Amino acid sequence: GICGLILAIYNRSLQQTFQEYKAEVDVYDAVVEALQENGEEKIDVIKLSETPGKLEQLAKKFFAAKPGLRERAEKQILVMIEAFEKELAEGKITLDLFTQEELALPFQRLQAEFGEPFSQVQPSEEMRQRVMDAIRQAINEMMTPERFRRLYKDVQSTAKTWLRERKKWAAALQGELIWLDEERYEENKFVIAAFLGQITRLGSEQKLVQKQTKHNV
């Protein structure tokens, strides 16, 4: 998936992502040149992302010709994805992958455990850890093969839309598909970050509605 990510990044003019080694080699031009040698006159990032076989052949060709380039590219891409997951978990990126019923599951479980509304439980480091454990458990339980395939398709569709619209995090979301491309769900930082981000944004929206309602009264 590295070649596809490089193309996606450059597709929205993010050359600065590769500034660390751009003085040594123009990565994008190397990819474009290799594509043109293989008969690709027009570079369509979305179309290329749907042909992993072609990208794999391309990767072998130009990474073999430029030793050390793959390691540097992977390092930069991981930095980008970590930044993406951080903002996603903080609710700064709109990405709705779960229903409100699914978002409520871990808190319903904690409420049943404590015997009182979760909102009345005193915050602490121990409570934070218990909430995270409840979220992980809820996601693991809800991610049946069918539900996971639906989530994967949702991420795939959103990634294509973001690429077309040249959204800031399009390449990062495209990168997350590399770790989701399996038949069954395994605990995944991106999925947990998306769940946390939705909860955060939902909480902020509810507070805003309550504030506006109070103001109107």
Side-chain angles (χ1 to χ4, degrees):
I2 296 294
C3 288
L5 288 181
I6 291 173
L7 287 169
I9 290 167
Y10 276 86
N11 188 50
R12 53 173 294 267
S13 301
L14 278 186
Q15 286 90 341
Q16 63 268 28
T17 304
F18 292 95
Q19 280 179 352
E20 284 188 17
Y21 60 90
K22 209 166 162 34
E24 299 176 28
V25 62
D26 191 327
V27 185
Y28 182 60
D29 285 349
V31 178
V32 172
E33 182 181 347
L35 279 169
Q36 291 174 340
E37 288 177 1
N38 282 273
E40 293 286 340
E41 295 182 2
K42 183 178 179 181
I43 299 174
D44 186 329
V45 176
I46 297 174
K47 182 179 178 181
L48 284 170
S49 68
E50 295 172 346
T51 55
K54 181 179 289 188
L55 285 174
E56 184 178 352
Q57 292 177 353
L58 175 66
K60 289 179 180 178
K61 183 175 182 179
F62 89 87
F63 282 136
K66 301 181 184 296
L69 182 58
R70 183 189 187 94
E71 182 179 349
R72 293 183 179 188
E74 288 178 342
K75 180 180 177 181
Q76 290 295 328
I77 288 167
L78 286 174
V79 168
M80 174 184 64
I81 288 177
E82 287 177 3
F84 168 64
E85 290 175 351
K86 182 177 182 296
E87 291 209 7
L88 184 63
E90 292 173 352
K92 297 177 180 178
I93 301 170
T94 300
L95 181 62
D96 295 331
L97 299 176
F98 301 93
T99 66
Q100 290 198 16
E101 290 75 17
E102 289 173 335
L103 295 175
L105 286 175
F107 303 99
Q108 290 172 348
R109 180 170 295 164
L110 288 169
Q111 183 169 317
E113 180 181 343
F114 293 119
E116 61 179 337
F118 181 75
S119 59
Q120 296 180 13
V121 178
Q122 293 299 314
S124 66
E125 181 60 28
E126 180 184 356
M127 181 54 59
R128 187 194 70 80
Q129 187 57 53
R130 292 181 76 170
V131 169
M132 286 303 304
D133 290 342
I135 288 174
R136 288 191 179 96
Q137 185 178 354
I139 294 175
N140 289 335
E141 291 176 358
M142 75 175 70
M143 281 300 155
T144 62
E146 180 183 357
R147 178 66 182 91
F148 180 59
R149 284 193 293 271
R150 193 162 74 250
L151 180 138
Y152 181 85
K153 288 180 180 178
D154 288 342
V155 175
Q156 190 177 49
S157 175
T158 303
K160 289 180 182 179
T161 299
W162 286 10
L163 284 171
R164 282 194 298 268
E165 297 176 353
R166 300 197 174 196
K167 297 268 184 156
K168 177 181 179 181
W169 294 112
L173 188 60
Q174 183 71 25
E176 297 290 1
L177 287 167
I178 297 173
W179 286 275
L180 287 178
D181 195 10
E182 300 289 344
E183 289 299 317
R184 62 187 180 86
Y185 175 75
E186 294 183 1
E187 190 164 296
N188 179 282
K189 284 178 63 180
F190 159 68
V191 175
I192 294 173
F195 195 95
L196 288 171
Q198 254 191 271
I199 290 173
T200 301
R201 286 187 289 106
L202 182 61
S204 298
E205 290 168 3
Q206 290 176 342
K207 288 180 180 178
L208 180 60
V209 170
Q210 291 173 356
K211 184 177 180 181
Q212 290 176 339
T213 302
K214 187 176 181 180
H215 176 75
N216 291 336
V217 172

PDB file of all heavy atoms in Angstrom, residues 104-136:
ATOM      1  N   ALA A 104     -23.433   3.517  22.826  1.00  0.00           N
ATOM      2  CA  ALA A 104     -23.955   3.470  24.194  1.00  0.00           C
ATOM      3  C   ALA A 104     -23.612   2.162  24.913  1.00  0.00           C
ATOM      4  O   ALA A 104     -23.654   2.112  26.150  1.00  0.00           O
ATOM      5  CB  ALA A 104     -25.471   3.640  24.175  1.00  0.00           C
ATOM      6  N   LEU A 105     -23.242   1.115  24.178  1.00  0.00           N
ATOM      7  CA  LEU A 105     -23.051  -0.211  24.773  1.00  0.00           C
ATOM      8  C   LEU A 105     -22.070  -0.244  25.953  1.00  0.00           C
ATOM      9  O   LEU A 105     -22.411  -0.775  27.016  1.00  0.00           O
ATOM     10  CB  LEU A 105     -22.601  -1.202  23.695  1.00  0.00           C
ATOM     11  CG  LEU A 105     -23.683  -1.651  22.711  1.00  0.00           C
ATOM     12  CD1 LEU A 105     -23.067  -2.538  21.626  1.00  0.00           C
ATOM     13  CD2 LEU A 105     -24.784  -2.399  23.446  1.00  0.00           C
ATOM     14  N   PRO A 106     -20.851   0.294  25.824  1.00  0.00           N
ATOM     15  CA  PRO A 106     -19.925   0.207  26.962  1.00  0.00           C
ATOM     16  C   PRO A 106     -20.417   0.947  28.199  1.00  0.00           C
ATOM     17  O   PRO A 106     -20.181   0.517  29.330  1.00  0.00           O
ATOM     18  CB  PRO A 106     -18.632   0.831  26.416  1.00  0.00           C
ATOM     19  CG  PRO A 106     -19.046   1.648  25.254  1.00  0.00           C
ATOM     20  CD  PRO A 106     -20.226   0.956  24.665  1.00  0.00           C
ATOM     21  N   PHE A 107     -21.149   2.045  28.005  1.00  0.00           N
ATOM     22  CA  PHE A 107     -21.626   2.843  29.137  1.00  0.00           C
ATOM     23  C   PHE A 107     -22.834   2.189  29.806  1.00  0.00           C
ATOM     24  O   PHE A 107     -23.023   2.319  31.015  1.00  0.00           O
ATOM     25  CB  PHE A 107     -21.927   4.266  28.680  1.00  0.00           C
ATOM     26  CG  PHE A 107     -20.737   4.929  28.054  1.00  0.00           C
ATOM     27  CD1 PHE A 107     -20.601   5.000  26.677  1.00  0.00           C
ATOM     28  CD2 PHE A 107     -19.717   5.441  28.842  1.00  0.00           C
ATOM     29  CE1 PHE A 107     -19.484   5.576  26.098  1.00  0.00           C
ATOM     30  CE2 PHE A 107     -18.601   6.027  28.282  1.00  0.00           C
ATOM     31  CZ  PHE A 107     -18.481   6.084  26.904  1.00  0.00           C
ATOM     32  N   GLN A 108     -23.625   1.496  29.019  1.00  0.00           N
ATOM     33  CA  GLN A 108     -24.729   0.729  29.592  1.00  0.00           C
ATOM     34  C   GLN A 108     -24.185  -0.385  30.482  1.00  0.00           C
ATOM     35  O   GLN A 108     -24.722  -0.662  31.555  1.00  0.00           O
ATOM     36  CB  GLN A 108     -25.601   0.145  28.474  1.00  0.00           C
ATOM     37  CG  GLN A 108     -26.405   1.190  27.715  1.00  0.00           C
ATOM     38  CD  GLN A 108     -27.099   0.617  26.501  1.00  0.00           C
ATOM     39  OE1 GLN A 108     -26.821  -0.515  26.084  1.00  0.00           O
ATOM     40  NE2 GLN A 108     -28.005   1.385  25.903  1.00  0.00           N
ATOM     41  N   ARG A 109     -23.115  -0.997  30.019  1.00  0.00           N
ATOM     42  CA  ARG A 109     -22.484  -2.068  30.797  1.00  0.00           C
ATOM     43  C   ARG A 109     -21.904  -1.524  32.105  1.00  0.00           C
ATOM     44  O   ARG A 109     -22.054  -2.132  33.165  1.00  0.00           O
ATOM     45  CB  ARG A 109     -21.385  -2.716  29.952  1.00  0.00           C
ATOM     46  CG  ARG A 109     -20.649  -3.841  30.647  1.00  0.00           C
ATOM     47  CD  ARG A 109     -19.766  -4.562  29.664  1.00  0.00           C
ATOM     48  NE  ARG A 109     -20.579  -5.217  28.633  1.00  0.00           N
ATOM     49  CZ  ARG A 109     -20.096  -5.673  27.478  1.00  0.00           C
ATOM     50  NH1 ARG A 109     -18.822  -5.521  27.192  1.00  0.00           N
ATOM     51  NH2 ARG A 109     -20.890  -6.261  26.616  1.00  0.00           N
ATOM     52  N   LEU A 110     -21.248  -0.373  32.035  1.00  0.00           N
ATOM     53  CA  LEU A 110     -20.667   0.224  33.241  1.00  0.00           C
ATOM     54  C   LEU A 110     -21.760   0.680  34.200  1.00  0.00           C
ATOM     55  O   LEU A 110     -21.616   0.558  35.418  1.00  0.00           O
ATOM     56  CB  LEU A 110     -19.777   1.410  32.849  1.00  0.00           C
ATOM     57  CG  LEU A 110     -18.451   1.053  32.175  1.00  0.00           C
ATOM     58  CD1 LEU A 110     -17.798   2.289  31.587  1.00  0.00           C
ATOM     59  CD2 LEU A 110     -17.503   0.371  33.164  1.00  0.00           C
ATOM     60  N   GLN A 111     -22.842   1.209  33.651  1.00  0.00           N
ATOM     61  CA  GLN A 111     -23.954   1.648  34.501  1.00  0.00           C
ATOM     62  C   GLN A 111     -24.564   0.462  35.244  1.00  0.00           C
ATOM     63  O   GLN A 111     -24.882   0.566  36.435  1.00  0.00           O
ATOM     64  CB  GLN A 111     -25.021   2.331  33.648  1.00  0.00           C
ATOM     65  CG  GLN A 111     -26.194   2.885  34.460  1.00  0.00           C
ATOM     66  CD  GLN A 111     -27.098   3.779  33.634  1.00  0.00           C
ATOM     67  OE1 GLN A 111     -26.616   4.608  32.859  1.00  0.00           O
ATOM     68  NE2 GLN A 111     -28.396   3.614  33.774  1.00  0.00           N
ATOM     69  N   ALA A 112     -24.704  -0.653  34.550  1.00  0.00           N
ATOM     70  CA  ALA A 112     -25.239  -1.855  35.197  1.00  0.00           C
ATOM     71  C   ALA A 112     -24.283  -2.351  36.271  1.00  0.00           C
ATOM     72  O   ALA A 112     -24.701  -2.828  37.342  1.00  0.00           O
ATOM     73  CB  ALA A 112     -25.470  -2.938  34.151  1.00  0.00           C
ATOM     74  N   GLU A 113     -23.011  -2.200  36.029  1.00  0.00           N
ATOM     75  CA  GLU A 113     -21.990  -2.645  36.987  1.00  0.00           C
ATOM     76  C   GLU A 113     -21.993  -1.788  38.243  1.00  0.00           C
ATOM     77  O   GLU A 113     -21.886  -2.302  39.360  1.00  0.00           O
ATOM     78  CB  GLU A 113     -20.616  -2.594  36.315  1.00  0.00           C
ATOM     79  CG  GLU A 113     -19.469  -3.036  37.214  1.00  0.00           C
ATOM     80  CD  GLU A 113     -18.131  -2.939  36.508  1.00  0.00           C
ATOM     81  OE1 GLU A 113     -18.099  -2.856  35.261  1.00  0.00           O
ATOM     82  OE2 GLU A 113     -17.104  -2.935  37.216  1.00  0.00           O
ATOM     83  N   PHE A 114     -22.116  -0.463  38.072  1.00  0.00           N
ATOM     84  CA  PHE A 114     -22.057   0.448  39.217  1.00  0.00           C
ATOM     85  C   PHE A 114     -23.415   0.659  39.874  1.00  0.00           C
ATOM     86  O   PHE A 114     -23.490   1.147  41.006  1.00  0.00           O
ATOM     87  CB  PHE A 114     -21.490   1.802  38.779  1.00  0.00           C
ATOM     88  CG  PHE A 114     -20.045   1.740  38.378  1.00  0.00           C
ATOM     89  CD1 PHE A 114     -19.656   2.070  37.090  1.00  0.00           C
ATOM     90  CD2 PHE A 114     -19.071   1.335  39.278  1.00  0.00           C
ATOM     91  CE1 PHE A 114     -18.331   1.997  36.710  1.00  0.00           C
ATOM     92  CE2 PHE A 114     -17.739   1.264  38.908  1.00  0.00           C
ATOM     93  CZ  PHE A 114     -17.366   1.588  37.619  1.00  0.00           C
ATOM     94  N   GLY A 115     -24.490   0.348  39.157  1.00  0.00           N
ATOM     95  CA  GLY A 115     -25.826   0.512  39.720  1.00  0.00           C
ATOM     96  C   GLY A 115     -26.276   1.951  39.818  1.00  0.00           C
ATOM     97  O   GLY A 115     -27.185   2.278  40.587  1.00  0.00           O
ATOM     98  N   GLU A 116     -25.662   2.839  39.043  1.00  0.00           N
ATOM     99  CA  GLU A 116     -26.046   4.253  39.018  1.00  0.00           C
ATOM    100  C   GLU A 116     -25.668   4.841  37.663  1.00  0.00           C
ATOM    101  O   GLU A 116     -24.835   4.275  36.951  1.00  0.00           O
ATOM    102  CB  GLU A 116     -25.342   5.029  40.136  1.00  0.00           C
ATOM    103  CG  GLU A 116     -23.826   5.018  40.040  1.00  0.00           C
ATOM    104  CD  GLU A 116     -23.165   5.823  41.150  1.00  0.00           C
ATOM    105  OE1 GLU A 116     -23.832   6.713  41.707  1.00  0.00           O
ATOM    106  OE2 GLU A 116     -21.995   5.573  41.443  1.00  0.00           O
ATOM    107  N   PRO A 117     -26.298   5.961  37.257  1.00  0.00           N
ATOM    108  CA  PRO A 117     -25.962   6.572  35.974  1.00  0.00           C
ATOM    109  C   PRO A 117     -24.465   6.836  35.872  1.00  0.00           C
ATOM    110  O   PRO A 117     -23.838   7.317  36.828  1.00  0.00           O
ATOM    111  CB  PRO A 117     -26.757   7.876  35.977  1.00  0.00           C
ATOM    112  CG  PRO A 117     -27.921   7.593  36.872  1.00  0.00           C
ATOM    113  CD  PRO A 117     -27.384   6.692  37.945  1.00  0.00           C
ATOM    114  N   PHE A 118     -23.895   6.518  34.724  1.00  0.00           N
ATOM    115  CA  PHE A 118     -22.455   6.659  34.542  1.00  0.00           C
ATOM    116  C   PHE A 118     -22.007   8.097  34.757  1.00  0.00           C
ATOM    117  O   PHE A 118     -20.898   8.359  35.222  1.00  0.00           O
ATOM    118  CB  PHE A 118     -22.051   6.175  33.146  1.00  0.00           C
ATOM    119  CG  PHE A 118     -20.586   6.273  32.890  1.00  0.00           C
ATOM    120  CD1 PHE A 118     -19.697   5.363  33.468  1.00  0.00           C
ATOM    121  CD2 PHE A 118     -20.071   7.285  32.098  1.00  0.00           C
ATOM    122  CE1 PHE A 118     -18.337   5.469  33.243  1.00  0.00           C
ATOM    123  CE2 PHE A 118     -18.710   7.390  31.865  1.00  0.00           C
ATOM    124  CZ  PHE A 118     -17.836   6.473  32.444  1.00  0.00           C
ATOM    125  N   SER A 119     -22.859   9.060  34.404  1.00  0.00           N
ATOM    126  CA  SER A 119     -22.516  10.473  34.538  1.00  0.00           C
ATOM    127  C   SER A 119     -22.267  10.885  35.985  1.00  0.00           C
ATOM    128  O   SER A 119     -21.645  11.909  36.255  1.00  0.00           O
ATOM    129  CB  SER A 119     -23.615  11.351  33.937  1.00  0.00           C
ATOM    130  OG  SER A 119     -24.850  11.093  34.597  1.00  0.00           O
ATOM    131  N   GLN A 120     -22.746  10.078  36.938  1.00  0.00           N
ATOM    132  CA  GLN A 120     -22.582  10.406  38.358  1.00  0.00           C
ATOM    133  C   GLN A 120     -21.348   9.752  38.977  1.00  0.00           C
ATOM    134  O   GLN A 120     -21.017  10.009  40.133  1.00  0.00           O
ATOM    135  CB  GLN A 120     -23.836   9.975  39.130  1.00  0.00           C
ATOM    136  CG  GLN A 120     -25.095  10.726  38.708  1.00  0.00           C
ATOM    137  CD  GLN A 120     -26.319  10.287  39.489  1.00  0.00           C
ATOM    138  OE1 GLN A 120     -26.210   9.604  40.502  1.00  0.00           O
ATOM    139  NE2 GLN A 120     -27.500  10.690  39.015  1.00  0.00           N
ATOM    140  N   VAL A 121     -20.675   8.905  38.213  1.00  0.00           N
ATOM    141  CA  VAL A 121     -19.475   8.239  38.709  1.00  0.00           C
ATOM    142  C   VAL A 121     -18.310   9.229  38.724  1.00  0.00           C
ATOM    143  O   VAL A 121     -18.089   9.967  37.762  1.00  0.00           O
ATOM    144  CB  VAL A 121     -19.123   7.025  37.829  1.00  0.00           C
ATOM    145  CG1 VAL A 121     -17.833   6.369  38.328  1.00  0.00           C
ATOM    146  CG2 VAL A 121     -20.264   6.017  37.835  1.00  0.00           C
ATOM    147  N   GLN A 122     -17.571   9.254  39.825  1.00  0.00           N
ATOM    148  CA  GLN A 122     -16.452  10.185  39.966  1.00  0.00           C
ATOM    149  C   GLN A 122     -15.291   9.785  39.053  1.00  0.00           C
ATOM    150  O   GLN A 122     -14.892   8.617  39.009  1.00  0.00           O
ATOM    151  CB  GLN A 122     -15.960  10.207  41.424  1.00  0.00           C
ATOM    152  CG  GLN A 122     -16.956  10.806  42.398  1.00  0.00           C
ATOM    153  CD  GLN A 122     -17.276  12.255  42.053  1.00  0.00           C
ATOM    154  OE1 GLN A 122     -16.371  13.059  41.780  1.00  0.00           O
ATOM    155  NE2 GLN A 122     -18.560  12.602  42.058  1.00  0.00           N
ATOM    156  N   PRO A 123     -14.755  10.746  38.293  1.00  0.00           N
ATOM    157  CA  PRO A 123     -13.643  10.436  37.388  1.00  0.00           C
ATOM    158  C   PRO A 123     -12.354  10.121  38.156  1.00  0.00           C
ATOM    159  O   PRO A 123     -12.092  10.696  39.224  1.00  0.00           O
ATOM    160  CB  PRO A 123     -13.490  11.724  36.570  1.00  0.00           C
ATOM    161  CG  PRO A 123     -14.036  12.799  37.461  1.00  0.00           C
ATOM    162  CD  PRO A 123     -15.161  12.158  38.225  1.00  0.00           C
ATOM    163  N   SER A 124     -11.576   9.213  37.634  1.00  0.00           N
ATOM    164  CA  SER A 124     -10.280   8.845  38.219  1.00  0.00           C
ATOM    165  C   SER A 124      -9.498   8.077  37.156  1.00  0.00           C
ATOM    166  O   SER A 124     -10.044   7.680  36.119  1.00  0.00           O
ATOM    167  CB  SER A 124     -10.475   7.960  39.454  1.00  0.00           C
ATOM    168  OG  SER A 124     -11.034   6.703  39.092  1.00  0.00           O
ATOM    169  N   GLU A 125      -8.225   7.858  37.406  1.00  0.00           N
ATOM    170  CA  GLU A 125      -7.404   7.107  36.465  1.00  0.00           C
ATOM    171  C   GLU A 125      -7.906   5.678  36.336  1.00  0.00           C
ATOM    172  O   GLU A 125      -7.942   5.108  35.247  1.00  0.00           O
ATOM    173  CB  GLU A 125      -5.941   7.107  36.919  1.00  0.00           C
ATOM    174  CG  GLU A 125      -4.990   6.356  35.984  1.00  0.00           C
ATOM    175  CD  GLU A 125      -4.977   6.932  34.570  1.00  0.00           C
ATOM    176  OE1 GLU A 125      -5.233   8.140  34.407  1.00  0.00           O
ATOM    177  OE2 GLU A 125      -4.722   6.158  33.622  1.00  0.00           O
ATOM    178  N   GLU A 126      -8.320   5.103  37.468  1.00  0.00           N
ATOM    179  CA  GLU A 126      -8.861   3.744  37.442  1.00  0.00           C
ATOM    180  C   GLU A 126     -10.140   3.699  36.602  1.00  0.00           C
ATOM    181  O   GLU A 126     -10.347   2.761  35.818  1.00  0.00           O
ATOM    182  CB  GLU A 126      -9.174   3.267  38.863  1.00  0.00           C
ATOM    183  CG  GLU A 126      -9.753   1.852  38.914  1.00  0.00           C
ATOM    184  CD  GLU A 126     -10.154   1.433  40.314  1.00  0.00           C
ATOM    185  OE1 GLU A 126      -9.924   2.211  41.266  1.00  0.00           O
ATOM    186  OE2 GLU A 126     -10.695   0.323  40.460  1.00  0.00           O
ATOM    187  N   MET A 127     -10.999   4.712  36.764  1.00  0.00           N
ATOM    188  CA  MET A 127     -12.239   4.750  35.997  1.00  0.00           C
ATOM    189  C   MET A 127     -11.950   4.919  34.506  1.00  0.00           C
ATOM    190  O   MET A 127     -12.607   4.306  33.656  1.00  0.00           O
ATOM    191  CB  MET A 127     -13.124   5.896  36.500  1.00  0.00           C
ATOM    192  CG  MET A 127     -14.462   5.999  35.758  1.00  0.00           C
ATOM    193  SD  MET A 127     -15.394   4.452  35.745  1.00  0.00           S
ATOM    194  CE  MET A 127     -15.579   4.169  37.515  1.00  0.00           C
ATOM    195  N   ARG A 128     -10.976   5.745  34.170  1.00  0.00           N
ATOM    196  CA  ARG A 128     -10.599   5.937  32.768  1.00  0.00           C
ATOM    197  C   ARG A 128     -10.204   4.603  32.140  1.00  0.00           C
ATOM    198  O   ARG A 128     -10.601   4.281  31.011  1.00  0.00           O
ATOM    199  CB  ARG A 128      -9.448   6.932  32.651  1.00  0.00           C
ATOM    200  CG  ARG A 128      -9.098   7.316  31.206  1.00  0.00           C
ATOM    201  CD  ARG A 128      -7.763   8.020  31.132  1.00  0.00           C
ATOM    202  NE  ARG A 128      -6.684   7.090  31.401  1.00  0.00           N
ATOM    203  CZ  ARG A 128      -6.188   6.238  30.500  1.00  0.00           C
ATOM    204  NH1 ARG A 128      -6.675   6.212  29.273  1.00  0.00           N
ATOM    205  NH2 ARG A 128      -5.205   5.427  30.803  1.00  0.00           N
ATOM    206  N   GLN A 129      -9.425   3.816  32.889  1.00  0.00           N
ATOM    207  CA  GLN A 129      -8.986   2.523  32.371  1.00  0.00           C
ATOM    208  C   GLN A 129     -10.160   1.554  32.216  1.00  0.00           C
ATOM    209  O   GLN A 129     -10.230   0.800  31.249  1.00  0.00           O
ATOM    210  CB  GLN A 129      -7.926   1.914  33.303  1.00  0.00           C
ATOM    211  CG  GLN A 129      -7.284   0.641  32.765  1.00  0.00           C
ATOM    212  CD  GLN A 129      -6.631   0.845  31.414  1.00  0.00           C
ATOM    213  OE1 GLN A 129      -5.817   1.747  31.238  1.00  0.00           O
ATOM    214  NE2 GLN A 129      -6.986   0.019  30.437  1.00  0.00           N
ATOM    215  N   ARG A 130     -11.089   1.621  33.156  1.00  0.00           N
ATOM    216  CA  ARG A 130     -12.252   0.737  33.086  1.00  0.00           C
ATOM    217  C   ARG A 130     -13.142   1.099  31.894  1.00  0.00           C
ATOM    218  O   ARG A 130     -13.748   0.231  31.256  1.00  0.00           O
ATOM    219  CB  ARG A 130     -13.038   0.801  34.396  1.00  0.00           C
ATOM    220  CG  ARG A 130     -12.277   0.185  35.560  1.00  0.00           C
ATOM    221  CD  ARG A 130     -13.046   0.225  36.852  1.00  0.00           C
ATOM    222  NE  ARG A 130     -14.113  -0.774  36.903  1.00  0.00           N
ATOM    223  CZ  ARG A 130     -14.793  -1.066  38.004  1.00  0.00           C
ATOM    224  NH1 ARG A 130     -14.515  -0.430  39.148  1.00  0.00           N
ATOM    225  NH2 ARG A 130     -15.729  -1.976  37.988  1.00  0.00           N
ATOM    226  N   VAL A 131     -13.233   2.393  31.611  1.00  0.00           N
ATOM    227  CA  VAL A 131     -14.002   2.834  30.448  1.00  0.00           C
ATOM    228  C   VAL A 131     -13.349   2.322  29.163  1.00  0.00           C
ATOM    229  O   VAL A 131     -14.028   1.806  28.269  1.00  0.00           O
ATOM    230  CB  VAL A 131     -14.108   4.376  30.406  1.00  0.00           C
ATOM    231  CG1 VAL A 131     -14.681   4.841  29.063  1.00  0.00           C
ATOM    232  CG2 VAL A 131     -14.985   4.867  31.544  1.00  0.00           C
ATOM    233  N   MET A 132     -12.018   2.457  29.068  1.00  0.00           N
ATOM    234  CA  MET A 132     -11.318   1.978  27.882  1.00  0.00           C
ATOM    235  C   MET A 132     -11.482   0.470  27.720  1.00  0.00           C
ATOM    236  O   MET A 132     -11.683  -0.023  26.604  1.00  0.00           O
ATOM    237  CB  MET A 132      -9.838   2.336  27.966  1.00  0.00           C
ATOM    238  CG  MET A 132      -9.530   3.803  27.719  1.00  0.00           C
ATOM    239  SD  MET A 132     -10.124   4.400  26.107  1.00  0.00           S
ATOM    240  CE  MET A 132      -9.316   3.248  24.991  1.00  0.00           C
ATOM    241  N   ASP A 133     -11.405  -0.249  28.817  1.00  0.00           N
ATOM    242  CA  ASP A 133     -11.589  -1.707  28.763  1.00  0.00           C
ATOM    243  C   ASP A 133     -12.997  -2.050  28.287  1.00  0.00           C
ATOM    244  O   ASP A 133     -13.185  -2.979  27.491  1.00  0.00           O
ATOM    245  CB  ASP A 133     -11.335  -2.333  30.140  1.00  0.00           C
ATOM    246  CG  ASP A 133      -9.862  -2.282  30.538  1.00  0.00           C
ATOM    247  OD1 ASP A 133      -9.016  -2.080  29.646  1.00  0.00           O
ATOM    248  OD2 ASP A 133      -9.574  -2.437  31.739  1.00  0.00           O
ATOM    249  N   ALA A 134     -13.983  -1.292  28.771  1.00  0.00           N
ATOM    250  CA  ALA A 134     -15.377  -1.534  28.379  1.00  0.00           C
ATOM    251  C   ALA A 134     -15.575  -1.226  26.892  1.00  0.00           C
ATOM    252  O   ALA A 134     -16.318  -1.944  26.193  1.00  0.00           O
ATOM    253  CB  ALA A 134     -16.320  -0.682  29.225  1.00  0.00           C
ATOM    254  N   ILE A 135     -14.920  -0.188  26.403  1.00  0.00           N
ATOM    255  CA  ILE A 135     -15.022   0.168  24.987  1.00  0.00           C
ATOM    256  C   ILE A 135     -14.392  -0.920  24.119  1.00  0.00           C
ATOM    257  O   ILE A 135     -14.974  -1.355  23.114  1.00  0.00           O
ATOM    258  CB  ILE A 135     -14.358   1.532  24.719  1.00  0.00           C
ATOM    259  CG1 ILE A 135     -15.227   2.659  25.300  1.00  0.00           C
ATOM    260  CG2 ILE A 135     -14.132   1.751  23.223  1.00  0.00           C
ATOM    261  CD1 ILE A 135     -14.597   4.032  25.232  1.00  0.00           C
ATOM    262  N   ARG A 136     -13.205  -1.368  24.502  1.00  0.00           N
ATOM    263  CA  ARG A 136     -12.548  -2.437  23.738  1.00  0.00           C
ATOM    264  C   ARG A 136     -13.407  -3.696  23.701  1.00  0.00           C
ATOM    265  O   ARG A 136     -13.563  -4.327  22.657  1.00  0.00           O
ATOM    266  CB  ARG A 136     -11.185  -2.761  24.365  1.00  0.00           C
ATOM    267  CG  ARG A 136     -10.119  -1.701  24.154  1.00  0.00           C
ATOM    268  CD  ARG A 136      -8.757  -2.228  24.565  1.00  0.00           C
ATOM    269  NE  ARG A 136      -7.713  -1.256  24.363  1.00  0.00           N
ATOM    270  CZ  ARG A 136      -7.258  -0.442  25.309  1.00  0.00           C
ATOM    271  NH1 ARG A 136      -7.785  -0.486  26.529  1.00  0.00           N
ATOM    272  NH2 ARG A 136      -6.303   0.419  25.045  1.00  0.00           N
TER     273      ARG A 136
END
